[in-house]
């Protein structure tokens, strides 16, 4: 099969158009960091993340099923 210069030019233009120009919010070499602020990780002593998210925590007390905890997932800005 014979390719013309016009065909090759079109392939190059379309290939260049497929590049993602968006910047990554964390940068190319930065990995996301998880900050678990629960009773086992210097947070609220009345709230614990459980497996499989973290290892089984060590805690004392009784379970209160009437509580409705709120978990906020946000982009960490360092402050």
């Amino acid at each position: 099969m014979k390719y013309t210069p016009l065909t090759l030019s079109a392939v190059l233009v379309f290939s260049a158009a497929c590049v993602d120009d968006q910047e990554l919010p964390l940068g190319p070499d930065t990995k996301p960091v998880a900050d678990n602020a629960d009773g086992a990780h210097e947070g609220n002593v009345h709230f614990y993340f459980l497996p499989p998210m973290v290892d089984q925590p060590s805690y004392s007390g009784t379970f209160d099923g009437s509580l409705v905890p709120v978990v906020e997932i946000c982009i960490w800005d360092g402050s």
Side-chain angles (χ1 to χ4, degrees), residues 1-16:
M1 184 183 292
K2 201 174 185 183
Y3 294 105
T4 65
L6 181 60
T7 304
L8 292 175
S9 297
V11 168
L12 289 174
V13 168
F14 287 118
S15 297

Side-chain angles (χ1 to χ4, degrees), residues 13-56:
V13 168
F14 287 118
S15 297
C18 293
V19 175
D20 185 10
D21 289 335
Q22 292 180 346
E23 291 184 25
L24 298 174
L26 298 174
D29 297 329
T30 306
K31 293 182 180 180
V33 177
D35 183 21
N36 295 333
D38 65 353
H41 301 96
E42 301 178 12
N44 186 338
V45 296
H46 301 289
F47 179 82
Y48 290 89
F49 288 106
L50 298 174
M53 204 168 143
V54 296
D55 292 334
Q56 181 67 37

Side-chain angles (χ1 to χ4, degrees), residues 46-75:
H46 301 289
F47 179 82
Y48 290 89
F49 288 106
L50 298 174
M53 204 168 143
V54 296
D55 292 334
Q56 181 67 37
S58 172
Y59 58 90
S60 63
T62 57
F63 177 74
D64 185 354
S66 67
L67 297 176
V68 184
V70 175
V71 176
E72 180 179 347
I73 299 173
C74 59
I75 295 176

